[in-house]
Structure formats: structure tokens, C-alpha cells
Amino acid sequence: MSGIFETSNQDSALTIGGTRVSGQEVRSQNVMAALSISNVIKTSLGPVGLDKMLVDDVGDVTISNDGATILKLLEVEHPAGKILVNLAQQQDTEVGDGTTSVVIIAAELLRRANELIKDHIHPATVIAGYRLACKEACKFIADQMALKVDKLGNEALVNVAMTTISSKILGGYGTFFAEMAVDALKAIKTTDYRGKPRYPVTAVNVLKVRGASARESSYFTGYALYRPFTSQAMKRTLKNPKIAVIDFDVTKTRMKMGVNVVIDNPENLEAIRKREADISAERARMLLDAGVTALFSTRGVDDVYVKMFAEAGAVTVTRVPKEDARRIAKGTGASLLTTLANLDGDESVDPATLGSAELVEQVRLADDDVVVIRGASEQRASTVILRGANDYMLEEMERSFHDSLCAVKRVLESGACVPGGGAVETALDIYLESFATTLGSREQLAIVEFANALLSIPKQLSVNAAKDSIELISKLRAYHAAAQKASADSPRSQLKSYGLDLHNGKLCDNVKAGVLEPAMSKIKMLKSATEAAINILRIDDMIKLLPEQQPEDPHAHM
Amino acid sequence: MAAQNNVLSSKAAESAAPKKQNDTFNQKDKPTQVRLSNITAAKAVADAIRTSLGPRGMDKMIETGKKEVVISNDGATILKHMSVLHPAARMLVDLSAAQDVEAGDGTTSVVVLAGSLLSAAEKLLNKGIHPTQIAEGFQGAAIEAVRILEDISIPVDLEDREFLLKSATTSLSSKVVAQYSSVLAPIVVDSVLRVVNPATDNNVDLNNIRIVKKVGGTIDDSELVSGLVLNQNAITSAGGPSRVEKAKIGLIQFQLSPPKPDMDNQVVVNDYRQMDRILKEERNYLLNLVKKIKKAGCNVLLIQKSILRDAVNSLSLHFLAKLKIMAIKEVERDEIEFICKATGCKPIADIDSFTEDKLGLSDLVEETEANGARIVKFSASKSAGRTASIIMRGANQYVLDEAERSIHDALCVIRCLVKKRALVVGGGAPEIEVSQRLFELAKAQTGFQSICFQAFAEAVEVIPTTLAENSGLSPISIVTELRNRHANGENAAGINVRKGAISDMLRENVIQPLLVSTSAIELSTETVRMIMKIDDILASR
């Protein structure tokens, strides 16, 4: 029966407006594309990974060590490659860390799957094996490897932050920034309406200021705004300010489109001009009368009105970015006013829309003036000021810092972490291999390959550190095998937290050494890598259509 | 047959003569050639998507002319994007689309079946049977096949949710999203059950089920909302609420922004007092509108998208926020009907007709954020119509699109059950049963009819064969064992893809609507008959 399809020669019989690649060929092509993507970023993995310099067509330079950032800037053409790029991006948005590892694992899974399929194992079997292995692996991490943070205390949080930072440009100042990240995040703790603690990472305001070394970076509670007070004549510090945040111009009023000012009497000209100025002056007066002493505007304020505020002892900040304005409003309990109109058809300032804080001041940072709001009444904010030698460095610092914030947030919210340095991957490798032998079906082979694919992480870590990967990995495997054989209370079971110490080229207990990662990020990483690999493996046919082809004569090929 | 080769209007022959590539027109056995060429082209299509059949089928990746990437397992979707050129091959593409409309599922099977029938026909042609006879014979066989299917089908009761769940799961199991079928199947079944009245309805209007797609999260996070879900966000820039309890929903088709004079007209100001009046008028105009809206009791306002004027401006938003009215703008025109049905509101085209009876009700309208995407949920109220919304989540656009197609297929499966309340088992079991019984029938007949029945019976076995092949099993041993089991009276024996063995499909809960199977056989047979009857292709202009 199956014979009916054998005789037909696909390539000649099916005429489509494009090219078609199917079967083993397309699989190999896809795997190749995935591998080349992973090759690009694999040297960036780990604490001793190296950076990439990316130059775009305009000449802008980005230097980064972060997988997602690198891949975002690469122009990947191949559709299978794009899936991997998406994967890294998704890991970045959902977890914020582990973007390089996820791509490396996915590519390695694909490479091994392709080998299996070449050995005449049906792709469906490989996929089923991978799914099973992934499920087991996630269960193993949650049951065996995860450590509760409340037991480990604050130190563990710092360690988690340090582990992510150590692989990035900030690595040299690990503890310094790790503590900063933990403090910054703890300062902004809020609870949502279900009473669950939340750590909105966006509430940590990161300012980048060029000059001085990274060690000069500082952190304080309060909200800093990279804008000076509008006028030199204003006070430098203001206690207990009443804050208004507005989103309209305090400039000369112009009539709208479609309204023409036509004057037949020259005397009227002056009156109209005066009125144009007065409309805003009235608004400024209204604000001052309501007791506003600090005005933040997302738009402009003309000099005339700035003077009014300065004379009244108030301060103004103009051209505040909208995002900042919103956060200031939220933090101080003010509302962002888009207009002063009230429900009677007139204009007035409602005192309820004003916010308050303990202090507004202008401080000097390098060459720039920065406005800082301290002790906002509603919500705490924390600000981190990063210092660095140049813009590239600052940007990379911001990304690294953001990654560590995300990692700490995950641990705080989920409350579990796992030892890093390849410990989890090696443990999983041992576990899955023994799990595979309990299965009598064909999936066994795929599970073993899945297990071995995970080893690519510790391998790459030690290769990047220029250490003997073969020796280290064999030793590490031996440790973990011993740990899993041992009973829970024997001292040998503690070997499960052993991982690589890349600086010394040895093995060490990574829980004690403080190399920790959020458990959730590891689980998510495995899940999405498996998912992406399966996505690509399931493809056995690729059809590329010609771009906007002319409708061909349907008889031509007869 | 060659004898029939008429002179084919000599005109065409003349015009073709100067062109060398049209030598075919001068050949004597042209009708046979045309037929064979058609069969080859159509078979190639079937061949191309054959590997996508069944729960372990593979996917196709298609890069369209616009460089968009489609990854799919759905026969109709693949073929639609493939831009097949040969006219006979196109017929198979249309066949798949027809199955999609008629049954919604089984779009791959129908094409594979047609390809197999064509191969059978080719063999019969080589034996010297006249194409018309083949067409007739197949027609007869198809009628018998449908009868057999109806005979072995199991009647289903729409009250039996379990049964529906099983058939939705079977449909989903062959898709990319198979591993999430435990999440998606209940969503599908419940959404259909919500929109139909099982006692009276015999069709489902799938327009009453709205699918909202959002990138982010995983498919696990997908959910069914009994009311309405909007993609648009509540506008909070002026501090308006994003959560309203006991909502009264107004849907307006006018704008809350100051009217502009026509292009040619202008407002002329020549006194400073008039400036104030203009500003004040604008405020009062908007204030009036908003106050009227509030007066009617409305607290959630949906504003239809307009290309002429801004739907709202900062001033009207400010007023709305002050009066605690939640505003959502940019509602698309084609969403209006669904919104009206779901909330029970009526679109309001003019402020003067903004009255309370036109408002829709909802217990809770809330903007929620999950996995980086915001949506507004309207919980259903009692007065609302029978509608359902499905929120689809997925890691990326490809997965999401494919998930939507799969959901659509599963919805269609349930719709088929509403249309024709009977089930057959899956896993290739009905096909084997049909094949066996047709063989029996063939024995009772004589002449070409008997041969055609036999050929048809053999061709139908392509489904279990392909299923076995795609699952990495040996097709020969599987199909022969199936034949054996069915001969021994095990009607429901089919391929258990997961275990790689043969088992009772009814016990494995692999079931599909009768309509999918019968329509696949009817449609594919009709297409094959049509291809059989073509004996010439002429270019027309």
C-alpha cells in the first residue's frame, strides 16, 4: 500500500511557485542554522565568557555579553535561526537571565536529535523522548536540587545576584553591585491586592552617568530625575514640597487649527497678544494658589511663567519624560494632570491631585544636575546611579544590573534557588541516564542524548575558562553519581551541590561558595529550550516561495 | 482510448504548431497523457502533506513571498500557503479548503485519501477500464462507504461532556499543541456548549466564539472567558479607572473630541474675549457630552475607531476619569456585532440617543495584566447573548497562530457533532472497516464495478498505512494485523500511536465526528471523479 507514493518523484511532480526542501535535508539545514547561532554566542557563557562587539549599519557599537542582546542585534535570515533568536528574547522577558544557556542547550538538543534521526530513529520517537526527559528533569530540579531561600537568608540573595553579575562586565565588582541590587529591590517591595509580595523591577530607576569608575556607582532611596530645575534662580532644596505633575504646556496659548485670528483694528492686536499670554499666566497662578511648590511638567514652561514660580519660591522641572512623570505621580500620590478643567466647565486645581514628599533637591552629579525626590509619600523608589568610563560600558552595565535584579526578583518571589556552576546540569545528566535505563521503549536513546546535551553547559563553562573540560567534567560526574547513590542523610549526598569553580579550575560546593541561581530560571530554561528544539524538529518540509512571482503559464511545464 | 483522440479543434493545433514546447498537442494519445499528468500532479500534492497526518505527523515550514514564516501541521493551511501551480493540483488544494469549510477537521486526510484514490484509478486506467466507468464505480463505492460508516457510528448526546472532550482531544492530539490538549479541549467544549442550545440547535455559529491572541506566557495560560475580552486597553493616562464593578456598558460611534470646522470653513476671531469663549465652549461641549453619558448611568464606554477625528482628547479623558467612567477606544467596526451580542448593548451613533436601555451589563469589567500583555475582561451578565471568548497565549507568534488554527479545528469538530450527532472511532479503525466491507461487497458484484470496489477498498487503507508510517511503525505489519482484527469482528481496533500497537480505540478515547469521515470520503471521491473526466487542458484567455 505504501508503494503508491514511492514511484512518484516529488521534485519534478509537484510544481509550486518556489523551492521546496524536505526530509532529512531540511532537518540538517535547520540544525545547521541553530548550531551556527549557538556558536556565535557560546563563548559568552559563564563568568569568564568573552564579549562581542556588534557594529550596526549606521556604525553604532554595542558591546555585550548578554545572549539576548547579541542575538537581537544579529540579522538572522534563516527561519529556524529566528526561532532560536525568539527563544532567547522570550527567556529575557520572562526570566531576564540565562539567555545564552537556553540557546546553547536548544542547539545541542537539535544536533543530537539530528544524529539520532540519521541513525534511522523516527523523529516522533525523539520528540517523545525529549518531552519525557524534560518533564523528569523539571521534577528533579524542583524535588532534589531546589533550596529554600528563607533557610539561606539574605546572604543567598546577594549570592544569586552575584552569580549573574559575575558573568558580566560588572564581574570584578561582584559583591558591591550584588548588595546594591538586593537593597534596591528590597526597598521597592510592594504587595498586590491579593497580598502577595511584588517586586516591580521597573521601579528601580537606573541612571547612567559617564565618568568615574564603576566602583563610584551609588545607590540611594528616592527618585532621581535626569533633569535640572528650570531656572538657576530657584532654590536648591525644598522641604515638604507639594507636588503637581502636569502634562500640558504652560506657554503662550495658540488657537487650534481652523481658528483664524483676523484683526481689523490694530488696537486689538495687543489685546489678543496679551490674552494669549494671560491664559497660561492664569493657569500658573492657579497652580501657585493651590499651594504647589514643585511642578513637574512633561511639556515646556515659558520663561515668563518660570519666573512666576521662581518668585513664589517654587521649583519647576520641565520636559520630564512621560514615563518618569507617571512614576513620580504614582510615588508621590499626585495625579498626572492633562488639563485643569473641572466639571463646571471652568478651570481649577483640585488639591486632591497634588502629591507630597519629604524633600526635593537638586544635586550635582559629574557635570550634570539631577533632581532627586526623597521620601515620596505613597511608594518607595530606589535609584541606582551607574558610573562608567564610556557609553558602551554603561549600557552593558545597565543590562547586567538589570539581569541581576531580575534574578533576585525571581528568587524573592518563588523562594527557591539551585547551585550554579554546572551542578544542576551534571546532576540531571546522571539522573536522566539512570532514568533512561528504567525505560524499555525506544525513547530511551533520546533521553540519554537529552542528558548528554545538558552537559554542554558545564563543558562550555570550563572551555571558556581555559580549563581541562574533560577532566573536570568526569570528576564532576563522579561526584554527582556518588551523591545520587548515597542515602539522603549520608554526608556524601551533599556532593550534589558540587559544581565548577572556574577561577581555580577545581570543583567546589557551590552552595557554600555562594554560586546560586534561581530555580525557576533553570526550569523555565529547560522547558523553553526543549520546546524550541521540538518545534524545529517537527519540521520536515520547508517551502520557500518566490517573492511576488509573476503568475506562470500553467501549461508551460506540460 | 486513443481512438477517441479527436482532431481537437484544429485551430488550437495550428496556433500551437509554431511553438515547440507544445508538441504534446500533436501527440495521438493525448487524453491519456493529460489524465496521467493530472494524476501525477495531484498525487504530488497528496504526497507533500502526507507526512503531516496523525498525532505524530510532522510540520511544514513555509516562507511566504513576503518573507513571513508559517509553521503548520494543518493540511488546509499548508496547501493554502504553498502556491501550487498545476491546475489539477489546485483542485486538491480546493478540496482541502472545502473539507475545512464543511467539517473543519480532517483536511490532511481528505487530500491523502484523494491521492490514494487517484493512484488506484491510475492502475485501473492501465488495465484499460474507461475513465467514466472508474468514476461511476468509485461513486458507487463511496456511497457504500458512507453507509458503512453510518452503520458503525455511535450516536452521541450533547449532554455528555465527556464524549465531546474526547473528540476534541483527538483532533488536538495531531497538532503542534498536542501536549496542551488537556487544557485546550475543555476550553473548546465549554465554549461551544455555551453558545448553543443543545436541545434545539443543529448548527453552531462560530462567529459567536471570539479568539483573542496575545503573545507571552505559554499555551497553558490560555483560558475561556464566558463574557467578552477586548484586546484594547483601558485608557488610564488621565487617571481613569481600570476596574469597574456592576458595569453598564455604552458603545458609541461618535467621538468625544471638539468638532472641527470643515476644510473650507474657518472660525474667525477678532477680539480677545472670543478666544476665551472658544476655549470655554470646547470645555463645555465635551463636558456636556460626558455628563449626558454619565446621566444615562454608563460607567464603561467603548468608542468605535474613526479615521476622521480623534476618538477622545485629553480633555474628554480627563472628564471621563473624573466621573469614574472607564474608556476604551479604537474598537474595530467588525468587533461591534460581537460586543453587542456579548454584553447586550446597542451601538449608539448620536449623543441624543444615549439612553439607559441601550447599555449593556456586566458584573465586572477589569483590565488584567499577565505575562506582559494587557487585556480587558468583561464578565458575562445574565442578559447577555450566548457568546464566549477564548484568550490564547503562546510563546511566539508562530506557536500562537498554529494554536489558533488547532483550536479552530477542534471547534469545528464539536460543531460537526452538533450538526450530525454521531461518532466513529479514530486511529484508522473506520477506514479498515470500510475497506473490509467493501471487499465483501465487491465479491457480490461482477464487471468493472467489482474491480472498482476492490480498488477503492484498497485505496482507503492509505489512512492507517500513513498513520503507522508517520508514527515510526511498520505499516505492513500494522495494516495486516488490523485487517485480521477487523475480520475477527473487532470493529474498533485501531492504531494506538502512543503505545505503537493496536488496541481498542473506543477504550483509548480516540473518537472523531462521523461528519468528518463521511465528508472526507464524499469530497475526495468527487474530486477524483472530476479529475478522471478531464481529457484535455486548453489555455484560454
Side-chain angles (χ1 to χ4, degrees):
Chain A
M1 269 304 303
S2 63
I4 57 158
F5 292 101
E6 279 166 13
T7 47
S8 68
N9 181 356
Q10 294 188 353
D11 297 329
S12 58
L14 182 71
T15 347
I16 52 166
T19 53
R20 173 166 176 241
V21 190
S22 41
Q24 187 52 46
E25 205 176 326
V26 67
R27 219 169 275 122
S28 297
Q29 271 185 18
N30 285 343
V31 170
M32 197 58 107
L35 277 178
S36 46
I37 297 267
S38 126
N39 274 339
V40 170
I41 57 167
K42 75 177 177 196
T43 52
S44 301
L45 184 74
V48 261
L50 298 179
D51 297 357
K52 309 273 167 229
M53 178 184 253
L54 299 127
V55 187
D56 69 4
D57 44 7
V58 199
D60 280 352
V61 178
T62 311
I63 299 175
S64 182
N65 181 295
D66 179 47
T69 315
I70 299 171
L71 290 183
K72 195 161 67 190
L73 294 167
L74 285 182
E75 258 181 46
V76 178
E77 276 271 317
H78 196 281
K82 276 188 201 153
I83 293 185
L84 279 202
V85 175
N86 270 336
L87 174 70
Q89 236 93 84
Q90 196 196 327
Q91 177 82 4
D92 193 35
T93 46
E94 286 186 13
V95 185
D97 190 28
T99 49
T100 313
S101 350
V102 76
V103 174
I104 292 180
I105 291 186
E108 186 67 17
L109 284 176
L110 279 172
R111 190 180 69 83
R112 288 176 182 268
N114 200 30
E115 294 300 317
L116 283 178
I117 295 167
K118 275 187 195 154
D119 287 346
H120 303 291
I121 293 177
H122 199 277
T125 315
V126 179
I127 291 172
Y130 276 9
R131 282 233 163 94
L132 193 59
C134 177
K135 216 168 89 187
E136 278 300 318
C138 294
K139 217 163 70 190
F140 181 78
I141 295 180
D143 293 350
Q144 304 289 322
M145 300 301 288
L147 308 158
K148 286 270 163 249
V149 184
D150 11 331
K151 271 192 208 154
L152 297 170
N154 197 37
E155 203 184 322
L157 288 177
V158 177
N159 282 335
V160 167
M162 200 141 93
T163 308
T164 49
I165 284 177
S166 70
S167 67
K168 303 284 160 68
I169 196 167
L170 298 178
Y173 320 103
T175 11
F176 179 66
F177 281 102
E179 275 166 12
M180 194 187 274
V182 174
D183 288 346
L185 213 55
K186 281 199 162 170
I188 52 156
K189 176 181 176 179
T190 53
T191 46
D192 63 2
Y193 62 93
R194 286 189 197 89
K196 259 165 77 185
R198 300 280 236 129
Y199 300 89
V201 170
T202 44
V204 178
N205 193 14
V206 177
L207 287 186
K208 294 168 285 184
V209 185
R210 221 180 325 170
S213 95
R215 201 164 264 292
E216 311 274 306
S217 302
S218 56
Y219 153 82
F220 56 88
T221 49
Y223 199 87
L225 191 64
Y226 210 87
R227 299 279 313 157
F229 288 145
T230 320
S231 161
Q232 295 288 326
M234 287 169 178
K235 289 179 189 166
R236 286 297 145 100
T237 53
L238 192 67
K239 277 192 182 150
N240 299 323
K242 261 197 162 179
I243 296 169
V245 189
I246 62 169
D247 186 22
F248 55 84
D249 276 310
V250 187
T251 51
K252 264 191 182 176
T253 316
R254 282 217 195 89
M255 288 287 101
K256 290 221 172 58
M257 292 266 285
V259 179
N260 257 12
V261 180
V262 176
I263 302 157
D264 31 26
N265 185 353
E267 283 159 28
N268 276 349
L269 181 65
E270 202 41 49
I272 292 227
R273 279 206 185 128
K274 187 166 181 312
R275 189 62 210 146
E276 279 183 345
D278 279 355
I279 291 177
S280 283
E282 275 167 23
R283 284 185 186 152
R285 177 60 48 205
M286 243 182 260
L287 284 167
L288 282 172
D289 288 348
V292 173
T293 52
L295 180 74
F296 293 86
S297 172
T298 59
R299 310 276 182 98
V301 178
D302 273 355
D303 286 347
V304 196
Y305 314 114
V306 168
K307 193 162 159 266
M308 282 175 68
F309 281 103
E311 276 170 4
V315 294
T316 58
V317 184
T318 56
R319 309 271 168 210
V320 178
K322 205 149 191 174
E323 200 41 47
D324 285 318
R326 237 176 246 144
R327 270 193 242 156
I328 293 172
K330 209 173 168 191
T332 59
S335 33
L336 184 61
L337 294 173
T338 49
T339 159
L340 290 179
N342 62 12
L343 291 177
D344 304 322
D346 284 323
E347 296 198 322
S348 63
V349 176
D350 184 354
T353 60
L354 304 182
S356 61
E358 280 162 20
L359 187 71
V360 178
E361 63 175 340
Q362 175 172 312
V363 292
R364 195 149 186 90
L365 213 76
D367 275 346
D368 299 299
D369 289 323
V370 175
V371 170
V372 182
I373 305 169
R374 294 187 198 270
S377 56
E378 293 289 313
Q379 193 190 32
R380 301 280 148 192
S382 50
T383 299
V384 171
I385 293 168
L386 295 179
R387 308 297 304 263
N390 53 44
D391 282 346
Y392 311 132
M393 182 165 172
L394 279 174
E395 257 155 47
E396 178 67 359
M397 279 168 71
E398 187 188 8
R399 281 190 289 270
S400 323
F401 194 73
H402 179 257
D403 279 5
S404 66
L405 282 179
C406 287
V408 176
K409 171 190 153 114
R410 294 294 159 204
V411 174
L412 280 171
E413 281 177 1
S414 68
C417 57
V418 291
V424 173
E425 284 83 0
T426 318
L428 281 176
D429 173 55
I430 301 285
Y431 172 71
L432 287 178
E433 271 191 3
S434 68
F435 170 72
T437 51
T438 63
L439 284 181
S441 56
R442 278 177 289 186
E443 280 87 4
Q444 196 193 70
L445 291 166
I447 294 176
V448 172
E449 291 300 325
F450 187 98
N452 291 336
L454 293 177
L455 276 186
S456 61
I457 295 287
K459 251 183 222 161
Q460 193 62 44
L461 282 175
S462 47
V463 168
N464 284 355
K467 298 286 183 280
D468 183 352
S469 73
I470 298 175
E471 197 198 315
L472 281 176
I473 305 275
S474 347
K475 222 189 260 175
L476 194 54
R477 278 176 51 112
Y479 277 24
H480 281 275
Q484 282 174 29
K485 270 189 214 120
S487 60
D489 45 354
S490 86
R492 297 189 86 180
S493 73
Q494 286 313 310
L495 286 175
K496 74 174 181 187
S497 46
Y498 267 67
L500 301 169
D501 175 356
L502 292 170
H503 294 288
N504 303 321
K506 288 188 311 193
L507 302 181
C508 66
D509 186 337
N510 271 339
V511 175
K512 285 197 187 109
V515 181
L516 295 170
E517 289 177 72
M520 180 229 170
S521 127
K522 268 270 144 45
I523 292 175
K524 196 101 198 174
M525 184 182 87
L526 277 184
K527 274 189 185 160
S528 6
T530 315
E531 209 46 41
I534 289 175
N535 235 333
I536 295 177
L537 274 185
R538 279 183 63 127
I539 296 164
D540 80 331
D541 213 328
M542 176 147 71
I543 296 164
K544 270 192 186 170
L545 298 180
L546 301 175
E548 303 297 313
Q549 79 277 19
Q550 291 287 323
E552 233 179 283
D553 177 12
H555 300 273
H557 59 271
M558 268 185 59
Chain B
M1 248 156 24
Q4 297 164 7
N5 181 13
N6 53 13
V7 210
L8 154 280
S9 64
S10 53
K11 223 166 140 196
E14 270 167 25
S15 68
K19 293 178 197 160
K20 271 194 177 166
Q21 79 257 35
N22 280 346
D23 272 352
T24 33
F25 284 108
N26 299 328
Q27 283 171 13
K28 292 207 158 181
D29 50 353
K30 185 158 164 277
T32 323
Q33 286 284 331
V34 167
R35 221 166 266 130
L36 287 182
S37 143
N38 282 349
I39 290 177
T40 322
K43 252 167 52 181
V45 172
D47 208 8
I49 63 163
R50 206 166 77 100
T51 51
S52 295
L53 186 80
R56 291 278 167 94
M58 294 284 139
D59 300 348
K60 311 276 169 205
M61 178 183 253
I62 300 171
E63 196 177 83
T64 62
K66 287 177 194 154
K67 295 279 167 198
E68 285 161 359
V69 177
V70 180
I71 300 177
S72 181
N73 183 288
D74 179 48
T77 313
I78 298 169
L79 290 176
K80 193 174 78 196
H81 284 99
M82 217 150 73
S83 91
V84 175
L85 295 179
H86 193 286
R90 285 243 189 92
M91 291 176 71
L92 256 69
V93 177
D94 292 344
L95 166 66
S96 176
Q99 174 80 0
D100 198 27
V101 173
E102 174 70 20
D105 195 21
T107 51
T108 313
S109 331
V110 74
V111 175
V112 171
L113 197 56
S116 170
L117 285 175
L118 281 172
S119 303
E122 193 180 359
K123 278 185 203 149
L124 296 180
L125 279 176
N126 289 341
K127 280 185 189 163
I129 298 177
H130 194 277
T132 321
Q133 286 179 321
I134 300 176
E136 251 169 61
F138 278 7
Q139 172 76 350
I143 293 173
E144 285 303 328
V146 170
R147 204 169 289 155
I148 296 166
L149 282 175
E150 277 168 3
D151 186 41
I152 58 171
S153 69
I154 311 153
V156 65
D157 185 2
L158 284 189
E159 302 290 332
D160 189 352
R161 186 163 172 271
E162 273 307 298
F163 245 126
L164 298 181
L165 271 181
K166 284 176 199 166
S167 30
T169 312
T170 307
S171 163
L172 287 170
S173 69
S174 68
K175 312 287 177 189
V176 181
V177 294
Q179 51 168 332
Y180 301 106
S181 48
S182 59
V183 183
L184 297 181
I187 292 182
V188 166
V189 172
D190 293 344
S191 61
V192 173
L193 288 183
R194 235 197 97 72
V195 300
V196 296
N197 179 354
T200 54
D201 288 349
N202 49 20
N203 199 355
V204 184
D205 187 358
L206 290 185
N207 286 332
N208 286 341
I209 300 172
R210 195 173 128 94
I211 300 178
V212 177
K213 292 186 285 181
K214 279 281 186 186
V215 178
T218 57
I219 294 173
D220 281 317
D221 302 325
S222 301
E223 58 176 325
L224 173 71
V225 175
S226 52
L228 167 70
V229 173
L230 283 184
N231 241 330
Q232 294 87 345
N233 297 340
I235 311 171
T236 49
S237 62
S242 60
R243 180 190 155 98
V244 175
E245 276 176 43
K246 297 209 171 54
K248 286 187 171 177
I249 302 148
L251 175 60
I252 59 169
Q253 293 175 312
F254 55 88
Q255 289 77 38
L256 296 178
S257 57
K260 280 187 189 141
D262 285 343
M263 215 49 118
D264 301 333
N265 303 341
Q266 282 184 324
V267 180
V268 174
V269 173
N270 51 17
D271 188 2
Y272 74 90
R273 277 170 297 240
Q274 286 172 333
M275 289 170 62
D276 279 342
R277 266 189 55 202
I278 285 186
L279 290 175
K280 199 160 177 166
E281 269 308 306
E282 182 187 327
R283 281 204 295 271
N284 279 336
Y285 172 81
L286 291 176
L287 190 58
N288 239 329
L289 288 182
V290 176
K291 274 191 173 162
K292 270 185 189 155
I293 290 170
K294 181 72 186 173
K295 206 173 158 197
C298 170
N299 51 16
V300 175
L301 192 65
L302 308 178
I303 305 162
Q304 189 185 320
K305 200 174 191 170
S306 161
I307 48 165
L308 295 175
R309 261 162 61 185
D310 293 338
V312 284
N313 68 357
S314 57
L315 200 57
S316 55
L317 281 179
H318 175 79
F319 289 137
L320 286 172
K322 279 217 152 178
L323 292 171
K324 300 264 173 290
I325 300 174
M326 177 167 162
I328 297 170
K329 65 175 181 178
E330 306 217 323
V331 175
E332 300 284 347
R333 183 174 275 271
D334 52 2
E335 291 172 328
I336 300 249
E337 194 190 342
F338 186 83
I339 294 175
C340 292
K341 232 184 259 169
T343 61
C345 67
K346 292 191 189 97
I348 303 165
D350 183 63
I351 187 67
D352 294 326
S353 52
F354 200 106
T355 47
E356 198 171 348
D357 57 313
K358 295 207 172 74
L359 299 180
L361 296 173
S362 169
D363 296 332
L364 177 66
V365 177
E366 187 182 18
E367 187 181 64
T368 53
E369 188 186 351
N371 295 308
R374 283 186 185 185
I375 41 170
V376 182
K377 282 187 202 169
F378 293 64
S379 70
S381 64
K382 286 181 197 106
S383 70
R386 292 176 167 273
T387 56
S389 297
I390 298 172
I391 307 172
M392 297 287 316
R393 309 301 304 259
N396 54 44
Q397 199 60 44
Y398 310 135
V399 174
L400 208 52
D401 287 347
E402 180 64 6
E404 189 197 5
R405 286 189 284 269
S406 312
I407 285 272
H408 175 258
D409 279 9
L411 284 172
C412 287
V413 164
I414 307 295
R415 182 177 66 176
C416 286
L417 287 177
V418 177
K419 275 186 186 169
K420 200 172 182 180
R421 301 183 184 190
L423 283 168
V424 289
V425 293
E431 284 80 10
I432 289 284
E433 186 67 22
V434 164
S435 159
Q436 298 259 299
R437 294 212 199 167
L438 281 180
F439 270 126
E440 288 301 310
L441 286 172
K443 283 180 197 155
Q445 282 162 329
T446 54
F448 73 89
Q449 194 86 357
S450 170
I451 293 192
C452 287
F453 265 52
Q454 257 182 9
F456 192 94
E458 205 176 318
V460 171
E461 281 184 350
V462 73
I463 300 285
T465 312
T466 313
L467 218 51
E469 248 174 57
N470 287 352
S471 320
L473 306 172
S474 153
I476 306 279
S477 64
I478 290 284
V479 171
T480 45
E481 196 188 335
L482 270 179
R483 282 186 192 160
N484 179 292
R485 295 274 196 103
H486 279 259
N488 291 338
E490 285 181 48
N491 266 346
I495 306 171
N496 184 337
V497 175
R498 225 159 278 139
K499 289 193 189 131
I502 288 174
S503 55
D504 188 330
M505 287 292 111
L506 208 51
R507 217 170 291 144
E508 297 288 336
N509 297 330
V510 181
I511 43 180
Q512 62 190 46
L514 173 63
L515 192 62
V516 171
S517 294
T518 55
S519 119
I521 287 195
E522 281 166 352
L523 289 174
S524 58
T525 311
E526 273 171 26
T527 308
V528 169
R529 287 181 65 207
M530 199 169 246
I531 293 178
M532 278 294 103
K533 286 184 171 177
I534 298 169
D535 78 337
D536 208 345
I537 299 182
L538 294 173
S540 63
R541 54 194 78 206

